């Protein structure tokens, strides 16, 4: 089973949380060892008075294990902590004026906490000595060393963990940068196949792959556009150039100046139409503006388009069966372009018969365009509505993409119908756009 990628932020959060928990537990272990176990073990039964000291000495207890004592005899202090310590403490007692005073000294390389209390009995001054080894001061170097070792171990663990994350992170970033750089340089690239455990990088890789495909598609469209312009403009330009050059020499290829000029104008109109088709493809998105949409009666638009193309219909049989009240919502300019492209296609590819009819569906109104010409080859039917795909040498490859773009912008659809004879295109307008058939 493929492991589901996790987000990098989630991994950082989980890893950091786990790391903090481990450090906390280890810190608690250090505190417990030094504050509870170690010191409790050292202090247990080792702070004694003079009587207990004598008994323990008889039992063979070594003096170096005695950490503390409370006594009225300086001799007991000397026997436990040595002559130098006893002498200095006694000197402090003789000069002390306070009844009780706490001292913290290092004597004879021993860290001591001691209290000297003054009292009198029968006119005689009595001294009470309470002495305890300052075990924290004595053990501090060991504690500091232990903490330094602990900090060093933590630093090593942190470095290993962060290096592991950064290696994987920068490895993914480096591959994505190299890939995006190849795309930016316009180099041909294979589909990106970066596999990573981080969800964000996986999604970024997928987005880059989408961008690569889009750029390849745009590049292909650009190349097709250049080929289209080169192909469609070359012939008219050559004709115009040839006719104009001949006219300079007082030679008219069509016999007369007027006929030759008509040919030049015809080729000029041809180039103008091709440029208009390209501009229409580019500016179809302008239809999304609400101000561009209006309620349009469809039948008058069909008739107006037929009048424009009447000279091409002289050898064709045309029938129209559309109700007068069928109204669609859209841009009149674009509806006229839509109809002109479809009807001119019917004229161009038909043998003799063309029909435009209406069909009603539960949720839409369908306008059916039929001609009795050859059927469109199956191998190009899937790409028929893509720019520059031609059904034959007669077409420009832009008419049907323009039609689909217009229908898409106004919420409708255009499709090729599967028929046994001829060719049928269907325009489908949503019912809510067909005011002549809207529900009451």
């Amino acid at each position: 089973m493929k492991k589901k990628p996790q987000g990098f932020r989630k991994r950082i959060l989980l890893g950091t949380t786990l790391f903090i928990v481990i450090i906390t537990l280890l810190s608690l272990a250090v505190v417990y060892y030094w504050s509870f176990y170690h010191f409790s073990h050292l202090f247990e039964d080792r702070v004694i008075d003079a009587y207990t000291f004598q008994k323990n000495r008889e039992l063979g207890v070594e003096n170096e294990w005695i950490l503390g004592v409370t006594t009225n005899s300086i001799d007991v202090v000397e026997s436990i902590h040595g002559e130098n310590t006893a002498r200095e403490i006694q000197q402090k007692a003789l000069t002390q004026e306070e009844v009780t005073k706490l001292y913290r000294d290092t004597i004879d390389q021993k860290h001591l906490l001691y209290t000297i209390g003054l009292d009198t009995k029968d006119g005689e001054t009595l001294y009470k000595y309470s002495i305890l080894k300052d075990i924290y001061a004595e053990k501090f170097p060991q504690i500091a060393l232990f903490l330094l070792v602990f900090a060093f171990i933590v630093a090593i663990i942190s470095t290993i963990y962060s290096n592991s994350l950064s290696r994987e992170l920068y490895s993914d970033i480096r591959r994505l940068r190299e890939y995006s750089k190849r795309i930016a340089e316009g180099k041909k690239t294979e589909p990106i196949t970066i596999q990573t455990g981080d969800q964000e990088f996986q999604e970024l890789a997928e987005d880059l792959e989408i961008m690569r495909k889009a750029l390849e598609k745009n590049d292909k469209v650009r190349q097709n556009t250049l080929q289209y312009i080169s192909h469609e403009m070359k012939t008219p330009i050559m004709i115009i150039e040839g006719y104009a050059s001949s006219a300079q020499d007082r030679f008219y290829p069509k016999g007369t100046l007027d006929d030759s000029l008509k040919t030049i104008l015809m080729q000029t109109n041809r180039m103008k139409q091709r440029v208009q088709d390209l501009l229409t493809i580019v500016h179809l998105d302008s239809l999304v503006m609400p101000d561009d949409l209006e309620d349009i009666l469809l039948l008058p638009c069909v008739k107006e388009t037929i009048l424009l193309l009447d000279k091409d219909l002289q050898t064709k049989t045309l029938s129209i069966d559309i109700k007068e009240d069928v109204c669609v919502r859209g841009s009149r300019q674009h509806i006229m372009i839509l109809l002109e492209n479809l009807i001119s296609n019917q004229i161009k590819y038909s043998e003799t018969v063309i029909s435009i009819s209406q069909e009603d569906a539960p949720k839409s109104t369908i306008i059916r365009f039929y001609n009795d010409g050859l059927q469109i080859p199956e191998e190009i039917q899937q790409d028929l509505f893509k720019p520059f795909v031609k059904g034959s040498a007669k077409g420009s490859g832009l008419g049907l993409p323009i039609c689909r773009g217009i229908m898409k912008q106004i919420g409708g659809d255009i499709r090729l119908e599967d028929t046994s004879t001829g060719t049928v295109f269907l325009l489908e307008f949503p019912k809510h756009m067909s005011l002549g058939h809207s529900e009451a």
Side-chain angles (χ1 to χ4, degrees), residues 211-241:
M211 182 182 71
R212 182 190 69 82
K213 291 180 178 179
L215 289 174
E216 281 190 355
K217 180 180 178 182
N218 291 338
D219 186 60
K220 186 176 181 180
V221 170
R222 181 177 61 83
Q223 292 178 6
N224 288 338
T225 302
L226 292 175
Q227 291 176 0
Y228 171 84
I229 294 174
S230 174
H231 179 269
E232 294 295 328
M233 300 298 179
K234 183 178 180 179
T235 300
I237 290 174
M238 289 178 62
I239 293 174
I240 292 172
E241 182 184 22

Side-chain angles (χ1 to χ4, degrees), residues 123-138:
E124 183 181 356
T125 302
L126 301 177
Y127 299 95
K128 182 178 181 181
Y129 306 101
S130 296
I131 304 172
L132 180 69
K133 282 188 178 181
D134 192 350
I135 195 68
Y136 272 98
E138 189 174 296

Side-chain angles (χ1 to χ4, degrees), residues 365-380:
T365 297
I366 298 173
I367 307 300
R368 189 172 188 269
F369 293 81
Y370 165 81
N371 73 76
D372 62 347
L374 297 175
Q375 293 186 314
I376 297 174
E378 291 185 8
E379 59 268 19
I380 66 168

Side-chain angles (χ1 to χ4, degrees), residues 54-73:
Q54 294 292 342
K55 287 293 185 182
N56 283 353
R57 186 166 62 175
E58 292 173 3
L59 294 173
V61 176
E62 297 294 336
N63 287 344
E64 60 266 21
W65 288 99
I66 306 290
L67 300 180
V69 65
T70 299
T71 182
N72 295 106
S73 173

Side-chain angles (χ1 to χ4, degrees), residues 350-363:
S350 65
E351 294 292 337
T352 57
V353 177
I354 301 170
S355 70
I356 305 173
S357 59
Q358 174 186 337
E359 299 177 4
D360 285 326
K363 296 182 179 181

Side-chain angles (χ1 to χ4, degrees), residues 263-312:
T263 301
I264 291 175
L265 288 174
M266 183 176 66
Q267 296 302 320
T268 303
N269 289 332
R270 177 182 172 184
M271 289 192 295
K272 181 180 177 181
Q273 183 60 47
R274 295 296 179 261
V275 171
Q276 184 61 48
D277 288 344
L278 287 171
L279 292 175
T280 301
I281 285 285
V282 171
H283 295 293
L284 276 177
D285 288 341
S286 62
L287 259 181
V288 298
M289 299 299 294
D291 293 342
D292 291 336
L293 304 179
E294 57 182 318
D295 297 330
I296 303 166
L297 288 170
L298 192 59
L299 184 57
C301 292
V302 172
K303 291 181 177 179
E304 183 178 340
T305 303
I306 289 172
L307 286 176
L308 293 174
L309 302 172
D310 182 59
K311 62 179 181 179
D312 299 321

